[in-house]
PDB file of all heavy atoms in Angstrom:
ATOM      1  N   MET A 277      89.489 100.603  49.898  1.00 96.00           N
ATOM      2  CA  MET A 277      90.725 100.456  49.146  1.00 96.00           C
ATOM      3  C   MET A 277      90.472 100.237  47.660  1.00 96.00           C
ATOM      4  O   MET A 277      91.247 100.695  46.820  1.00 96.00           O
ATOM      5  CB  MET A 277      91.563  99.300  49.720  1.00 96.00           C
ATOM      6  CG  MET A 277      92.956  99.189  49.102  1.00 96.00           C
ATOM      7  SD  MET A 277      93.891 100.770  49.087  1.00 96.00           S
ATOM      8  CE  MET A 277      93.948 101.171  50.838  1.00 96.00           C
ATOM      9  N   ASN A 278      89.388  99.542  47.321  1.00 94.00           N
ATOM     10  CA  ASN A 278      89.033  99.404  45.904  1.00 94.00           C
ATOM     11  C   ASN A 278      88.810 100.777  45.272  1.00 94.00           C
ATOM     12  O   ASN A 278      89.239 101.040  44.140  1.00 94.00           O
ATOM     13  CB  ASN A 278      87.771  98.550  45.750  1.00 94.00           C
ATOM     14  CG  ASN A 278      88.036  97.075  45.972  1.00 94.00           C
ATOM     15  OD1 ASN A 278      89.161  96.604  45.851  1.00 94.00           O
ATOM     16  ND2 ASN A 278      86.995  96.329  46.327  1.00 94.00           N
ATOM     17  N   GLN A 279      88.170 101.667  46.018  1.00 95.00           N
ATOM     18  CA  GLN A 279      87.966 103.035  45.537  1.00 95.00           C
ATOM     19  C   GLN A 279      89.281 103.809  45.506  1.00 95.00           C
ATOM     20  O   GLN A 279      89.561 104.544  44.561  1.00 95.00           O
ATOM     21  CB  GLN A 279      86.965 103.762  46.438  1.00 95.00           C
ATOM     22  CG  GLN A 279      85.534 103.273  46.332  1.00 95.00           C
ATOM     23  CD  GLN A 279      84.610 104.091  47.232  1.00 95.00           C
ATOM     24  OE1 GLN A 279      84.774 104.117  48.449  1.00 95.00           O
ATOM     25  NE2 GLN A 279      83.647 104.760  46.636  1.00 95.00           N
ATOM     26  N   GLN A 280      90.088 103.628  46.567  1.00 96.00           N
ATOM     27  CA  GLN A 280      91.361 104.341  46.645  1.00 96.00           C
ATOM     28  C   GLN A 280      92.279 103.966  45.484  1.00 96.00           C
ATOM     29  O   GLN A 280      92.944 104.827  44.886  1.00 96.00           O
ATOM     30  CB  GLN A 280      92.065 104.042  47.978  1.00 96.00           C
ATOM     31  CG  GLN A 280      93.364 104.820  48.183  1.00 96.00           C
ATOM     32  CD  GLN A 280      93.109 106.307  48.309  1.00 96.00           C
ATOM     33  OE1 GLN A 280      92.585 106.767  49.321  1.00 96.00           O
ATOM     34  NE2 GLN A 280      93.476 107.064  47.273  1.00 96.00           N
ATOM     35  N   TYR A 281      92.314 102.679  45.159  1.00 95.00           N
ATOM     36  CA  TYR A 281      93.148 102.216  44.047  1.00 95.00           C
ATOM     37  C   TYR A 281      92.731 102.902  42.743  1.00 95.00           C
ATOM     38  O   TYR A 281      93.573 103.410  41.990  1.00 95.00           O
ATOM     39  CB  TYR A 281      93.036 100.696  43.911  1.00 95.00           C
ATOM     40  CG  TYR A 281      93.795 100.134  42.722  1.00 95.00           C
ATOM     41  CD1 TYR A 281      95.179  99.948  42.772  1.00 95.00           C
ATOM     42  CD2 TYR A 281      93.114  99.788  41.554  1.00 95.00           C
ATOM     43  CE1 TYR A 281      95.864  99.442  41.682  1.00 95.00           C
ATOM     44  CE2 TYR A 281      93.808  99.281  40.461  1.00 95.00           C
ATOM     45  CZ  TYR A 281      95.175  99.103  40.536  1.00 95.00           C
ATOM     46  OH  TYR A 281      95.855  98.609  39.449  1.00 95.00           O
ATOM     47  N   SER A 282      91.433 102.922  42.476  1.00 94.00           N
ATOM     48  CA  SER A 282      90.934 103.538  41.246  1.00 94.00           C
ATOM     49  C   SER A 282      91.214 105.041  41.230  1.00 94.00           C
ATOM     50  O   SER A 282      91.575 105.601  40.185  1.00 94.00           O
ATOM     51  CB  SER A 282      89.426 103.288  41.106  1.00 94.00           C
ATOM     52  OG  SER A 282      89.160 101.910  40.967  1.00 94.00           O
ATOM     53  N   SER A 283      91.047 105.680  42.383  1.00 95.00           N
ATOM     54  CA  SER A 283      91.286 107.119  42.475  1.00 95.00           C
ATOM     55  C   SER A 283      92.757 107.455  42.240  1.00 95.00           C
ATOM     56  O   SER A 283      93.090 108.362  41.469  1.00 95.00           O
ATOM     57  CB  SER A 283      90.845 107.626  43.852  1.00 95.00           C
ATOM     58  OG  SER A 283      91.083 109.008  43.985  1.00 95.00           O
ATOM     59  N   THR A 284      93.645 106.713  42.881  1.00 96.00           N
ATOM     60  CA  THR A 284      95.087 106.974  42.739  1.00 96.00           C
ATOM     61  C   THR A 284      95.558 106.654  41.326  1.00 96.00           C
ATOM     62  O   THR A 284      96.439 107.343  40.789  1.00 96.00           O
ATOM     63  CB  THR A 284      95.877 106.159  43.773  1.00 96.00           C
ATOM     64  OG1 THR A 284      95.446 106.537  45.088  1.00 96.00           O
ATOM     65  CG2 THR A 284      97.370 106.422  43.666  1.00 96.00           C
ATOM     66  N   GLN A 285      94.972 105.633  40.702  1.00 95.00           N
ATOM     67  CA  GLN A 285      95.354 105.278  39.337  1.00 95.00           C
ATOM     68  C   GLN A 285      95.107 106.423  38.360  1.00 95.00           C
ATOM     69  O   GLN A 285      95.817 106.557  37.356  1.00 95.00           O
ATOM     70  CB  GLN A 285      94.567 104.038  38.877  1.00 95.00           C
ATOM     71  CG  GLN A 285      95.100 102.721  39.394  1.00 95.00           C
ATOM     72  CD  GLN A 285      96.386 102.276  38.696  1.00 95.00           C
ATOM     73  OE1 GLN A 285      96.943 102.989  37.874  1.00 95.00           O
ATOM     74  NE2 GLN A 285      96.848 101.098  39.035  1.00 95.00           N
ATOM     75  N   LEU A 286      94.125 107.264  38.651  1.00 94.00           N
ATOM     76  CA  LEU A 286      93.816 108.379  37.760  1.00 94.00           C
ATOM     77  C   LEU A 286      94.988 109.342  37.611  1.00 94.00           C
ATOM     78  O   LEU A 286      95.200 109.923  36.543  1.00 94.00           O
ATOM     79  CB  LEU A 286      92.587 109.148  38.278  1.00 94.00           C
ATOM     80  CG  LEU A 286      91.235 108.449  38.139  1.00 94.00           C
ATOM     81  CD1 LEU A 286      90.174 109.203  38.928  1.00 94.00           C
ATOM     82  CD2 LEU A 286      90.830 108.336  36.675  1.00 94.00           C
ATOM     83  N   VAL A 287      95.770 109.533  38.679  1.00 95.00           N
ATOM     84  CA  VAL A 287      96.915 110.453  38.610  1.00 95.00           C
ATOM     85  C   VAL A 287      98.233 109.717  38.433  1.00 95.00           C
ATOM     86  O   VAL A 287      99.259 110.340  38.178  1.00 95.00           O
ATOM     87  CB  VAL A 287      96.980 111.361  39.861  1.00 95.00           C
ATOM     88  CG1 VAL A 287      95.749 112.239  39.951  1.00 95.00           C
ATOM     89  CG2 VAL A 287      97.152 110.555  41.134  1.00 95.00           C
ATOM     90  N   LEU A 288      98.208 108.390  38.582  1.00 94.00           N
ATOM     91  CA  LEU A 288      99.419 107.592  38.414  1.00 94.00           C
ATOM     92  C   LEU A 288      99.767 107.402  36.947  1.00 94.00           C
ATOM     93  O   LEU A 288     100.947 107.307  36.574  1.00 94.00           O
ATOM     94  CB  LEU A 288      99.226 106.229  39.096  1.00 94.00           C
ATOM     95  CG  LEU A 288     100.364 105.215  39.034  1.00 94.00           C
ATOM     96  CD1 LEU A 288     101.598 105.731  39.756  1.00 94.00           C
ATOM     97  CD2 LEU A 288      99.922 103.890  39.638  1.00 94.00           C
ATOM     98  N   LYS A 289      98.762 107.352  36.097  1.00 85.00           N
ATOM     99  CA  LYS A 289      98.952 107.066  34.679  1.00 85.00           C
ATOM    100  C   LYS A 289      99.961 108.014  34.031  1.00 85.00           C
ATOM    101  O   LYS A 289      99.929 109.223  34.258  1.00 85.00           O
ATOM    102  CB  LYS A 289      97.617 107.163  33.934  1.00 85.00           C
ATOM    103  CG  LYS A 289      96.636 106.058  34.261  1.00 85.00           C
ATOM    104  CD  LYS A 289      95.371 106.155  33.437  1.00 85.00           C
ATOM    105  CE  LYS A 289      94.573 107.393  33.704  1.00 85.00           C
ATOM    106  NZ  LYS A 289      93.284 107.419  33.000  1.00 85.00           N
ATOM    107  N   GLY A 290     100.875 107.421  33.241  1.00 84.00           N
ATOM    108  CA  GLY A 290     101.831 108.239  32.498  1.00 84.00           C
ATOM    109  C   GLY A 290     103.066 108.624  33.266  1.00 84.00           C
ATOM    110  O   GLY A 290     103.910 109.365  32.735  1.00 84.00           O
ATOM    111  N   THR A 291     103.205 108.164  34.520  1.00 90.00           N
ATOM    112  CA  THR A 291     104.386 108.482  35.319  1.00 90.00           C
ATOM    113  C   THR A 291     104.966 107.209  35.920  1.00 90.00           C
ATOM    114  O   THR A 291     104.239 106.259  36.203  1.00 90.00           O
ATOM    115  CB  THR A 291     104.055 109.469  36.457  1.00 90.00           C
ATOM    116  OG1 THR A 291     103.011 108.909  37.276  1.00 90.00           O
ATOM    117  CG2 THR A 291     103.595 110.806  35.914  1.00 90.00           C
ATOM    118  N   LYS A 292     106.271 107.188  36.102  1.00 92.00           N
ATOM    119  CA  LYS A 292     106.954 106.030  36.673  1.00 92.00           C
ATOM    120  C   LYS A 292     107.202 106.272  38.162  1.00 92.00           C
ATOM    121  O   LYS A 292     108.318 106.522  38.608  1.00 92.00           O
ATOM    122  CB  LYS A 292     108.260 105.773  35.930  1.00 92.00           C
ATOM    123  CG  LYS A 292     108.051 105.399  34.467  1.00 92.00           C
ATOM    124  CD  LYS A 292     109.364 105.133  33.756  1.00 92.00           C
ATOM    125  CE  LYS A 292     109.127 104.742  32.299  1.00 92.00           C
ATOM    126  NZ  LYS A 292     110.415 104.502  31.573  1.00 92.00           N
ATOM    127  N   VAL A 293     106.120 106.200  38.923  1.00 94.00           N
ATOM    128  CA  VAL A 293     106.185 106.474  40.355  1.00 94.00           C
ATOM    129  C   VAL A 293     106.894 105.329  41.076  1.00 94.00           C
ATOM    130  O   VAL A 293     106.588 104.157  40.855  1.00 94.00           O
ATOM    131  CB  VAL A 293     104.765 106.681  40.926  1.00 94.00           C
ATOM    132  CG1 VAL A 293     104.756 106.635  42.440  1.00 94.00           C
ATOM    133  CG2 VAL A 293     104.191 108.002  40.421  1.00 94.00           C
ATOM    134  N   LYS A 294     107.844 105.687  41.941  1.00 93.00           N
ATOM    135  CA  LYS A 294     108.622 104.699  42.692  1.00 93.00           C
ATOM    136  C   LYS A 294     108.085 104.481  44.103  1.00 93.00           C
ATOM    137  O   LYS A 294     108.248 103.417  44.684  1.00 93.00           O
ATOM    138  CB  LYS A 294     110.081 105.157  42.798  1.00 93.00           C
ATOM    139  CG  LYS A 294     110.759 105.451  41.466  1.00 93.00           C
ATOM    140  CD  LYS A 294     110.989 104.190  40.670  1.00 93.00           C
ATOM    141  CE  LYS A 294     111.782 104.483  39.401  1.00 93.00           C
ATOM    142  NZ  LYS A 294     111.989 103.260  38.601  1.00 93.00           N
ATOM    143  N   ARG A 295     107.458 105.528  44.649  1.00 96.00           N
ATOM    144  CA  ARG A 295     106.999 105.463  46.030  1.00 96.00           C
ATOM    145  C   ARG A 295     105.653 106.135  46.192  1.00 96.00           C
ATOM    146  O   ARG A 295     105.325 107.074  45.459  1.00 96.00           O
ATOM    147  CB  ARG A 295     108.001 106.170  46.969  1.00 96.00           C
ATOM    148  CG  ARG A 295     109.349 105.502  47.071  1.00 96.00           C
ATOM    149  CD  ARG A 295     110.304 106.381  47.862  1.00 96.00           C
ATOM    150  NE  ARG A 295     111.572 105.709  48.114  1.00 96.00           N
ATOM    151  CZ  ARG A 295     112.628 106.285  48.680  1.00 96.00           C
ATOM    152  NH1 ARG A 295     112.553 107.555  49.048  1.00 96.00           N
ATOM    153  NH2 ARG A 295     113.739 105.611  48.876  1.00 96.00           N
ATOM    154  N   ILE A 296     104.875 105.639  47.143  1.00 97.00           N
ATOM    155  CA  ILE A 296     103.648 106.316  47.568  1.00 97.00           C
ATOM    156  C   ILE A 296     103.782 106.597  49.058  1.00 97.00           C
ATOM    157  O   ILE A 296     104.047 105.684  49.847  1.00 97.00           O
ATOM    158  CB  ILE A 296     102.393 105.462  47.302  1.00 97.00           C
ATOM    159  CG1 ILE A 296     102.162 105.298  45.794  1.00 97.00           C
ATOM    160  CG2 ILE A 296     101.158 106.110  47.945  1.00 97.00           C
ATOM    161  CD1 ILE A 296     100.964 104.419  45.441  1.00 97.00           C
ATOM    162  N   PHE A 297     103.619 107.853  49.427  1.00 97.00           N
ATOM    163  CA  PHE A 297     103.625 108.266  50.824  1.00 97.00           C
ATOM    164  C   PHE A 297     102.194 108.561  51.257  1.00 97.00           C
ATOM    165  O   PHE A 297     101.423 109.158  50.504  1.00 97.00           O
ATOM    166  CB  PHE A 297     104.480 109.517  51.029  1.00 97.00           C
ATOM    167  CG  PHE A 297     105.911 109.363  50.586  1.00 97.00           C
ATOM    168  CD1 PHE A 297     106.376 110.007  49.454  1.00 97.00           C
ATOM    169  CD2 PHE A 297     106.797 108.563  51.308  1.00 97.00           C
ATOM    170  CE1 PHE A 297     107.692 109.877  49.036  1.00 97.00           C
ATOM    171  CE2 PHE A 297     108.111 108.413  50.914  1.00 97.00           C
ATOM    172  CZ  PHE A 297     108.557 109.070  49.766  1.00 97.00           C
ATOM    173  N   VAL A 298     101.842 108.160  52.464  1.00 97.00           N
ATOM    174  CA  VAL A 298     100.502 108.420  53.009  1.00 97.00           C
ATOM    175  C   VAL A 298     100.667 109.196  54.302  1.00 97.00           C
ATOM    176  O   VAL A 298     101.364 108.749  55.221  1.00 97.00           O
ATOM    177  CB  VAL A 298      99.732 107.115  53.296  1.00 97.00           C
ATOM    178  CG1 VAL A 298      98.342 107.425  53.851  1.00 97.00           C
ATOM    179  CG2 VAL A 298      99.629 106.263  52.034  1.00 97.00           C
ATOM    180  N   ASP A 299     100.057 110.363  54.371  1.00 94.00           N
ATOM    181  CA  ASP A 299     100.053 111.081  55.649  1.00 94.00           C
ATOM    182  C   ASP A 299      98.619 111.336  56.086  1.00 94.00           C
ATOM    183  O   ASP A 299      97.666 111.114  55.341  1.00 94.00           O
ATOM    184  CB  ASP A 299     100.885 112.367  55.589  1.00 94.00           C
ATOM    185  CG  ASP A 299     100.242 113.483  54.762  1.00 94.00           C
ATOM    186  OD1 ASP A 299      99.089 113.326  54.317  1.00 94.00           O
ATOM    187  OD2 ASP A 299     100.893 114.516  54.557  1.00 94.00           O
ATOM    188  N   GLY A 300      98.451 111.761  57.329  1.00 93.00           N
ATOM    189  CA  GLY A 300      97.108 111.986  57.867  1.00 93.00           C
ATOM    190  C   GLY A 300      96.551 110.738  58.530  1.00 93.00           C
ATOM    191  O   GLY A 300      97.268 109.768  58.818  1.00 93.00           O
TER     192      GLY A 300
END
């Protein structure tokens, strides 16, 4: 999860995301 947080933050920056969906 520490890695997942850093990875997701790379594409989160600059956007006002309201939801995260996880599939698979």
Side-chain angles (χ1 to χ4, degrees):
M277 187 50 59
N278 285 338
Q279 290 182 299
Q280 184 66 72
Y281 176 79
S282 296
S283 179
T284 300
Q285 281 286 5
L286 288 169
V287 297
L288 179 64
K289 290 183 296 186
T291 57
K292 296 181 179 179
V293 166
K294 305 291 185 181
R295 294 172 174 174
I296 293 178
F297 302 109
V298 180
D299 72 6

